Amino acid sequence: MSEHIKIVEVAPRDGLQNEKQFVDTAIKVELVNRLAAAGFQNVEAASFVSPKWVPQMADGAEVMAAIERRPGTIYSVLTPNMRGFEAALAARADEVVIFGAASEAFSQRNINCSIAESIARFEPVATAAKAAGLRLRGSISCSMGCPYQGETPVASVVDVAQRMLRLGCDEIDVSDTIGVGTPAQVGRVMRAVGEVADLSTQVSGHFHDTYGQALANILSALEAGVRIFHSSVSGAGGCPYAKGATGNVATEDVLYMLNGQGLHTGIDLDAVVDIGQWLSGHLGRKGASRAGNALAARKS
Ligand code: HMG
Ligand code: MG
C-alpha cells in the first residue's frame, strides 16, 4: 500500500462562500453528497458565521439537515464563536473549525477582533466541542502573507499554532489565504510548525492558487512531512475578506499530481472531474482546474 494522504474537500464552504449570486441550497446539498460519494473522508460542508458578513453561507443549517450522512465521512463546519458552535451542534456536525489568523490586520477584517481576542472567543467553543465529543480544527489564515500587513513572520504562525494546540485542536490548518507563498517559504513555515506539532497527523496545508504556486507548495509541504491537504473541486473559491485572492488549489489537479507520485487518497478522480464540470456549469463559468478540464475534454 502506498502512503495515504488525506484530502479535505472545501468547495461547499471555501469554494462557494465568495459567490455573489446565491447558490441554491439544493445545489450545495448535491455537491456535498457527490463529494462524499467520490471518497473524500472529510468534506467542509457549511459555515455558521454571521449571514450579514457572508450571506452565501446563510443556509448552513438547511444544508446540514438535508445531506446524506455517509458512515465514516467527517462533515466539518466553521464556527467563529459560541453562537456558531450551538448551530453546529444542532446541525450534527462531526468537526468544528475555529478560524484565526497569524496577522492582526486580517483577524480584525475577517472576524472583527484581535488575535488574542479570537483565542479567548475560541476557548469556550473548544471546551464545548471536546465535551460533545466533536473533532476540533483550527485554521491559521495569512500564514504565508497578509493582504493588509504584507509579510507574516514565521514566529507568528508558530505562536498561533501553539495557542490552537493548547485549546485542544486535533488538526491545525496552515492557510495561505491569498496564495502568495512559494515552495521554499512553505518548507520553512511547515518545518517551524513541525517543532510544535506532528506534521504528519496534526497539520494540514490549505493553499489558494492566486499566484499559481499551490501545487508546488503542496509538494514542498509533502517533503516537509505534511500528509493532509485542503482543496476545492474545480478550483472554486476565495475569501470575501481577501480581495483578489482566487480559489483554493483545484482538487482535480491535486489528485492528478498525487496519483502520479504514487500516493493514495482513496478518492475517485474520474468522479471528481464530473463534479467539477457539473459545479462549473451551475456557477456559469469554466472551472479553474487544468487537469479537470483536460480530463473532461478527453472524455467527451
Ligand atoms: P461581530 O460583529 O464582531 O460579532 O462579528 P457580534 O457578536 O457583535 O455579532 C454581530 C451580528 O452577527 C449579530 O447580529 C449577531 O447575532 C450575529 P445582529 O444583532 O447585528 O443582527 N452573529 C451570528 N449570526 C450567525 N451565526 C453566528 C453569529 N455570530 C454573530 N455564528 C463574527 C463577529 C465572527 C460573527 C463575524 O465577524 C463573522 O461572521 N465573520 C465571518 C467571516 C468569515 O466567514 N470569513 C470567511 C471564512 S474564513 C476563510 O475563508 C479563511 C479560511 O479558508 C482559511 C484561509 O484560506 O485562510 C478558513
Ligand atoms: Mg481559504
Side-chain angles (χ1 to χ4, degrees), residues 25 43 86 159 162:
T25 305
V43 179
E86 298 298 346
D159 176 53
Q162 271 180 309

Side-chain angles (χ1 to χ4, degrees), residues 13-14 17 48 50 52 81 83 110 112 141 177 206:
R13 196 281 304 171
D14 210 349
Q17 71 180 9
F48 290 109
S50 162
K52 284 185 191 148
N81 52 22
R83 168 115 183 244
N110 195 42
N112 205 24
S141 283
T177 316
H206 175 112

Side-chain angles (χ1 to χ4, degrees), residues 32-56:
V32 173
N33 287 343
R34 288 182 68 165
L35 289 167
F40 291 92
Q41 289 168 261
N42 192 326
V43 179
E44 202 166 273
S47 189
F48 290 109
V49 299
S50 162
K52 284 185 191 148
W53 284 62
V54 186
Q56 185 62 254

